[in-house]
Amino acid sequence: MTGPASLAQVGRDAQLRTLLQAAGSPPAVILVQGEAGIGKTRLVHTAIERLRADRRTVLLGHCQQLREPFPYGPVFDALRHVAAALPAGDRLNPVTGALRGYLPELTGHLPPAPSPPPLDDARAERHRLFRAVHALLAAAAPAALVVEDLHWADDGTRDLLCFLTGQPPEGLALVVTFRREDLPVPGLPFGRAYRRRPGVRSEVISLAPLDVEAVGDLTSALLGGAPVPNDFAARLHERTAGVPFVIEEVVRSLLDDAGRLPGGEDAPEVLDRIPVPLLLREAMAERLAGFSPAALRAVRAAAVLRMAADEPLLAAVAGAEGPGADTHESGLSEALRAGVLFEHPDGQYGFRHALAQQAAYNAIPGPDRRPIHRRAMAALSALDPPPLVRLAYHARHAGDLAAWRRHGAAAADHAAAVGDVPLAVEVLEGMLADPKLPRDARGPLALRLSRIAAVGLSYRRVVRLLRHLLSDDFLSRHVRSEARLNLGVLLANQAGANAAGRQEILTALPELHDRPDLAARGLALLGLPAWGGEPLDIHEAWMDEAERLLASVEDQDPELAAAVHANKVTLAMLVGSPHAFSLASALPENHPSAAVRRQAARAYSNLCDAATALGHYGAAEKYAARSRRISDESGALYPVYLVEMSSIRLDWLTGRLEGLRERAVAAVEMTVEAPLLAVEARLVLGMLALARGEWQEAGEQLDATGVRDPDSGYLPVTAPASAGLIELHLTRDALDAALAETEWAVGRLRRKGLWVWGDQVVPQAMAALLKAGRSDEAADLVSEFAAGVDGRTAPSAHAALDLARGGLAEHEGRRDEAAGHYARAKSAYEGMPRPHAAARAAEAEAGARLGLGEREEAATLVARAAERYTTLDATRDAAHCRRLLREIGAAGPARRARRAGVLSPREAEVARLVALGRTNREIAEVLFLSRRTVDTHVARVLQKLGVRTRNDVREPRPDDRPGPDY
């Protein structure tokens, strides 16, 4: 039989080459993704064999589908085998001694354990553990750490791997495999966005199904090189969808006694005689038909266990203890020789692939499964500690419903207690979705689920389950009202359906009349003013009532109290209260309860977002770091996600654009089912497109922020999105559309009574009104804005007020006053820092200086603004400055000599717009050039790129743009 190593390269030469090249060039992070059965394991194991042949240390860990809450388990399993690659213990970093308790196999190689951190400082202990793993891997370098099936990993493992990717040891190649569709957070294998570090090679290897030719090659390899008819390969491709594992199982099930396909010209018809759709179960059943009873028992035991197990456990589950042990050994050997079972590291035996396990399990007759599951329960119960998740699974399939409920609830509680929120949610979801769960057990489990889900990211199934349960009348009032409240919180937060969430909370409040602490939690969420059409004083009244209710409770729940305080702090920051920062300093980030610390993590993520909206960028960075740190050690996933979304906007505002568009696109793709969660990413994509003159992209992205949704639209984002749309309409000379957007955006701010979020809207709205000749309305708007931000700590709003006052003064001919306002705005923006806004203010000041006859000073301001725009990739703004310089008659910096065939910056801009399908007239409009000049640039672009038509032009890479050109 052809071995796996020779089969791995069929249709995968390029991927194997990429994997080996990256693994051989550490530090490297390599992500291998693909559906079940596509060949991830085979590809990686072939690479492992070659790396080991080159004397490279390879450490292999697996994530299990039926996992217990044991953080970092896959990584520690891999590190157990690192001893041979380590130097003497006295040469190891002392911090590696922290691993002694986790890796007893390495006790003789590790230095003494360091003094333990304070018992209540879980963050310090966690960080030291991560540093110890990093140091141990650095000592073993050059090495490859391979973690398979990351989609089944616990949060701790993801956090540890994320830590390693942040600054990989110099000689480490990290390889992970996963199914994208099974990730807890779609698109985020590490649980958060992966950012490639300078000097670290990063590869994403996506495995697709084989094409017809590759299916023929794989079949031929399985037949020892025998030729395969094209018709057979095509029919096999059709029946198996090109999935390698399914192809192998089907081909092996069809072989005759001589190991050949029944054939000739009838070969394709053999496939037609197999029922459609082709079931892998049938192929497995044919392979098991000739097995001895002992071999069949071994295979069935492995199938029921679902994960690799050692020989004693397999024997116990197979029912072969005592005198039958020898028979079991021979049966296990038979299954191994037949290639149905495989030997895994550490003397574990199981199937090569989950699909094979499922097929073998399906081949067990129903009445025969329950006794095997009962034996599995008995064997696993003897382990210390008992694997609660696996016990619950086997109890359910053994028909022991009481044990299932007991083990399932205990598993969920234990997972939540150690911070493995996704596993807790998964266990409870599975139990509540099971029709065998008695009605009287559903209420308590529904409450457990609703409470735990509020700090995780998984919400789709939870929402469906809770709505289904709430539609029934068997729940008590107390259970129903609390579950409805938690559903409202889940909808408003994770699902991004704020209007629906608020409605659920409003419905729950009357039923919570005798639960003031829970009612306070609901009112505190309603008290956040960023959503809905209610004015600020209504939100403040809700928040005051929440505090009053909470104060009336003698024995307060610390978590509920922390949740109310978190929202009060958020409200204070959102409105620019002078007390916001002192309130934030009282958050319970060091509370002994993980549940309370999760509320602190949520509060800090909210503060990061609110501070970003108001221009407190340094504070936003600080709050983001605190939220990430607390979330990491307390198992709160949702705040980490919120911080990543806010960081996208923060990086855009502060001019940190490297890789920003890619992060924003990934965020949008990740939230297809809850688009309102990605509104900040949409805002950034829209504003980036606007700055580059990509009108259609800008309009689509800004519209998608929820600007037309007054109930669920997040006002601190929809307000700047409206500002972008006003600017877009003005740029396109669509004054009526700009005025309509102005009326809508200003109307929302006015009704809400919160002008601190108008920092980007008011200057653009004023410009639209002035352009329409409505100067009195523009002046009234600026006065209303000034009154609205008076006494508020909102740096961005106060800078915008100077910008707006400067615009009014310039319109009225008071240019010296205007220049002063613009200069103050520029200085404020630079101090935040907010470079694009600072350049805009400098450009406006230059216009006022020019009107005063100060041409030299104006030219200096414009030239500096142009340079800044260029570094920010703001194509249109830079082009506008170049036109101003030409009108002023000022010379720009000397042009640098360029190699023949290299595009100038101006030509690169033209090439980009040509690649986007723009006409020469549209390019002239974006770049403030004459049509004749654009014609000349396009001709040069075609000549330098060596292409004949504009359809062949591709967008130049950023690295190809040599710098500013005037």
Side-chain angles (χ1 to χ4, degrees):
M1 182 65 67
T2 307
S6 61
L7 295 176
Q9 289 181 261
V10 176
R12 306 295 191 215
D13 283 326
Q15 292 91 338
L16 181 59
R17 186 164 52 250
T18 299
L19 177 53
L20 288 169
Q21 288 174 350
S25 306
V29 177
I30 306 148
L31 289 75
V32 182
Q33 64 178 7
E35 63 182 282
I38 207 67
K40 302 183 295 295
T41 295
R42 174 166 286 171
L43 177 75
V44 168
H45 282 244
T46 301
I48 288 174
E49 290 179 11
R50 300 202 182 174
L51 291 170
R52 284 176 172 161
D54 291 339
R55 301 185 181 280
R56 182 71 60 86
T57 298
V58 181
L59 308 169
L60 179 61
H62 300 84
C63 305
Q64 303 292 348
Q65 184 176 14
L66 273 181
R67 62 180 177 86
E68 301 297 326
F70 173 43
Y72 328 123
V75 176
F76 287 149
D77 285 343
L79 291 177
R80 296 185 204 286
H81 307 283
V82 76
L86 295 177
D90 58 355
R91 293 171 55 196
L92 284 174
N93 187 320
V95 75
T96 58
L99 298 172
R100 278 177 167 263
Y102 297 91
L103 300 170
E105 298 88 345
L106 301 183
T107 301
H109 300 270
L110 297 174
S115 300
L119 292 178
D120 61 347
D121 194 349
R123 295 183 299 274
E125 184 175 2
R126 176 189 175 95
H127 182 66
R128 187 174 66 178
L129 184 67
F130 284 13
R131 286 176 50 227
V133 172
H134 188 284
L136 192 67
L137 289 168
L145 172 62
V146 180
V147 179
E148 293 199 77
D149 296 323
L150 191 60
H151 49 277
W152 288 331
D154 61 278
D155 289 342
T157 295
R158 287 197 182 88
D159 290 342
L160 175 52
L161 294 177
C162 201
F163 177 85
L164 293 175
T165 63
Q167 192 63 52
E170 195 62 32
L172 179 70
L174 174 62
V175 183
V176 298
T177 71
F178 59 92
R179 303 179 200 162
R180 183 182 178 89
E181 65 275 12
D182 289 339
L183 290 170
V185 183
L188 297 182
F190 298 114
R192 64 192 69 177
Y194 165 61
R195 305 180 187 179
R196 182 178 66 84
R197 304 296 178 183
V200 177
R201 177 163 180 173
S202 298
E203 296 287 351
V204 178
I205 300 174
S206 300
L207 299 184
L210 301 178
D211 58 21
V212 173
E213 181 180 358
V215 168
D217 292 342
L218 178 57
T219 306
S220 176
L222 291 166
L223 299 174
V228 175
N230 292 335
D231 289 349
F232 184 88
R235 195 70 57 87
L236 184 59
H237 178 270
E238 177 186 338
R239 295 290 187 264
T240 62
V243 177
F245 178 76
V246 182
I247 294 167
E248 292 179 42
E249 294 302 314
V250 171
V251 169
R252 286 173 173 147
S253 73
L254 293 175
L255 297 180
D256 60 21
D257 293 339
R260 296 172 304 193
L261 286 174
E265 298 186 0
D266 294 332
E269 281 63 40
V270 173
L271 292 170
D272 288 337
R273 291 194 289 272
I274 298 176
V276 179
L278 180 62
L279 297 178
L280 184 58
R281 181 182 62 189
E282 297 178 3
M284 177 63 73
E286 291 217 17
R287 296 184 67 190
L288 298 179
F291 273 28
S292 68
L296 196 57
R297 284 195 299 269
V299 171
R300 288 179 173 181
V304 165
L305 285 169
R306 295 185 71 182
M307 54 195 300
D310 59 25
E311 198 169 341
L313 181 57
L314 274 176
V317 177
E321 297 171 307
D326 291 342
T327 306
H328 168 74
E329 290 178 4
S330 64
L332 178 58
S333 298
E334 181 182 341
L336 291 169
R337 287 194 303 271
V340 173
L341 295 182
F342 289 81
E343 183 173 2
H344 295 268
D346 297 330
Q348 305 281 306
Y349 301 94
F351 294 90
R352 184 170 62 83
H353 197 282
L355 290 177
Q357 177 272 324
Q358 293 165 14
Y361 184 82
N362 290 336
I364 305 172
D368 294 343
R369 293 177 189 162
R370 287 194 173 191
I372 307 175
H373 280 292
R374 282 196 291 270
R375 290 196 294 270
M377 284 180 63
L380 293 172
S381 296
L383 301 180
D384 185 23
L388 296 171
V389 175
R390 297 171 69 186
L391 283 170
Y393 167 78
H394 290 296
R396 172 64 184 87
H397 287 79
D400 189 343
L401 298 185
W404 169 52
R405 290 169 56 183
R406 185 174 66 256
H407 291 312
D413 289 345
H414 178 56
V418 300
D420 198 342
V421 173
L423 178 59
V425 170
E426 180 184 334
V427 170
L428 292 172
E429 279 181 345
M431 296 181 72
L432 283 165
D434 196 310
K436 290 290 186 181
L437 184 69
R439 288 169 65 90
D440 63 350
R442 293 182 177 274
L445 288 184
L447 271 185
R448 268 191 177 98
L449 176 63
S450 65
R451 291 167 179 166
I452 293 171
V455 297
L457 281 177
S458 176
Y459 66 86
R460 296 178 186 88
R461 289 188 61 199
V462 177
V463 167
R464 286 197 297 270
L465 281 168
L466 290 178
R467 279 178 165 162
H468 175 72
L469 292 168
L470 289 169
S471 68
D472 210 329
D473 60 0
F474 71 89
L475 296 178
S476 68
R477 176 174 64 85
H478 279 171
V479 169
R480 184 175 61 250
S481 58
E482 183 177 350
R484 190 180 296 281
L485 171 66
N486 292 335
L487 171 61
V489 173
L490 195 63
L491 286 167
N493 291 337
Q494 284 88 323
N498 192 271
R502 286 155 53 88
Q503 187 55 53
E504 293 289 354
I505 293 171
L506 289 168
T507 303
L509 286 176
E511 293 190 324
L512 293 170
H513 58 84
D514 55 350
R515 304 284 300 279
D517 51 350
L518 290 176
R521 173 75 175 97
L523 287 166
L525 190 145
L526 296 174
L528 296 179
W531 296 272
E534 301 88 357
L536 176 59
D537 57 357
I538 297 294
H539 294 285
E540 291 176 329
W542 277 329
M543 191 65 72
D544 290 343
E545 178 66 7
E547 289 192 286
R548 187 190 68 77
L549 288 175
L550 192 64
S552 70
V553 179
E554 292 185 6
D555 187 16
Q556 292 184 3
D557 181 334
E559 181 183 5
L560 286 174
V564 173
H565 182 61
N567 284 18
K568 178 179 176 61
V569 175
T570 300
L571 169 63
M573 186 64 73
L574 281 169
V575 303
S577 167
H579 308 296
F581 291 99
S582 60
L583 287 171
S585 66
L587 286 169
E589 61 181 279
N590 294 312
H591 195 279
S593 166
V596 173
R597 294 197 302 275
R598 289 180 193 130
Q599 292 298 337
R602 180 178 66 84
Y604 280 128
S605 69
N606 290 344
L607 288 172
C608 168
D609 193 72
T612 297
L614 269 58
H616 298 294
Y617 302 144
E621 294 276 9
K622 179 181 68 175
Y623 293 140
R626 288 183 180 177
S627 181
R628 289 191 183 103
R629 174 172 52 80
I630 301 170
S631 297
D632 282 347
E633 59 87 13
S634 65
L637 294 180
Y638 182 57
V640 176
Y641 173 85
L642 290 180
V643 166
E644 175 59 26
M645 297 297 105
S646 300
S647 295
I648 290 174
R649 179 159 59 134
L650 180 59
D651 286 350
W652 163 63
L653 288 167
T654 54
R656 293 172 291 191
L657 303 187
E658 184 178 358
L660 184 61
R661 188 179 188 283
E662 290 74 16
R663 285 168 55 204
V665 169
V668 170
E669 291 176 347
M670 188 177 69
T671 55
V672 173
E673 296 189 38
L676 290 179
L677 289 179
V679 292
E680 290 178 289
R682 293 281 194 185
L683 171 66
V684 169
L685 289 172
M687 298 306 283
L688 289 174
L690 182 61
R692 293 177 59 162
E694 298 168 6
W695 312 135
Q696 182 176 351
E697 168 80 359
E700 291 174 354
Q701 296 290 356
L702 294 173
D703 277 333
T705 59
V707 288
R708 296 293 173 266
D709 188 344
D711 292 321
S712 288
Y714 183 57
L715 194 50
V717 168
T718 60
S722 286
L725 288 169
I726 296 169
E727 180 181 348
L728 174 62
H729 295 318
L730 289 176
T731 300
R732 305 290 289 172
D733 291 326
L735 182 57
D736 289 344
L739 291 170
E741 190 65 42
T742 292
E743 184 176 349
W744 172 264
V746 171
R748 284 205 67 189
L749 292 172
R750 189 171 283 141
R751 286 190 296 275
K752 184 64 69 174
L754 255 177
W755 288 95
V756 289
W757 301 336
D759 62 312
Q760 295 179 57
V761 168
V762 170
Q764 292 294 342
M766 183 204 67
L769 291 171
L770 291 178
K771 190 170 184 178
R774 295 156 59 175
S775 56
D776 289 345
E777 291 180 54
D780 290 343
L781 173 61
V782 174
S783 296
E784 192 174 3
F785 181 47
V789 302
D790 184 44
R792 304 285 184 180
T793 55
S796 187
H798 290 293
L801 179 59
D802 263 319
L803 202 62
R805 282 172 168 166
L808 274 181
E810 187 174 12
H811 178 75
E812 295 168 0
R814 294 177 281 115
R815 293 188 175 86
D816 190 54
E817 181 183 339
H821 282 301
Y822 291 141
R824 284 191 291 276
K826 174 170 66 72
S827 177
Y829 286 131
E830 287 174 342
M832 292 180 197
R834 191 164 148 193
H836 187 272
R840 280 282 177 91
E843 192 180 348
E845 182 187 353
R849 299 287 179 198
L850 197 60
L852 293 169
E854 301 172 5
R855 299 175 66 84
E856 186 174 344
E857 188 170 351
T860 300
L861 287 167
V862 173
R864 289 174 180 170
E867 289 180 6
R868 179 163 286 177
Y869 287 141
T870 300
T871 61
L872 296 173
D873 205 21
T875 305
R876 178 174 168 78
D877 292 321
H880 184 255
C881 286
R882 288 195 296 266
R883 188 184 71 172
L884 282 177
L885 286 173
R886 291 194 299 271
E887 291 174 353
I888 294 172
R895 302 187 183 192
R896 294 178 292 174
R898 299 187 178 94
R899 302 187 310 273
V902 175
L903 298 179
S904 70
R906 184 81 57 83
E907 290 164 351
E909 291 171 355
V910 170
R912 180 180 63 82
L913 294 169
V914 169
L916 290 172
R918 296 296 184 83
T919 65
N920 286 9
R921 181 184 61 79
E922 291 170 331
I923 295 172
E925 178 186 351
V926 171
L927 299 181
F928 297 95
L929 299 172
S930 69
R931 171 69 179 273
R932 184 173 179 180
T933 300
V934 172
D935 291 342
T936 301
H937 282 310
V938 170
R940 288 176 179 168
V941 166
L942 297 179
Q943 180 184 18
K944 289 185 176 182
L945 295 182
V947 297
R948 299 181 61 184
T949 70
R950 61 195 301 135
N951 291 333
D952 298 321
V953 175
R954 296 292 177 265
E955 182 175 356
R957 297 171 303 181
D959 293 345
D960 295 336
R961 301 172 194 169
D965 189 4
Y966 298 89

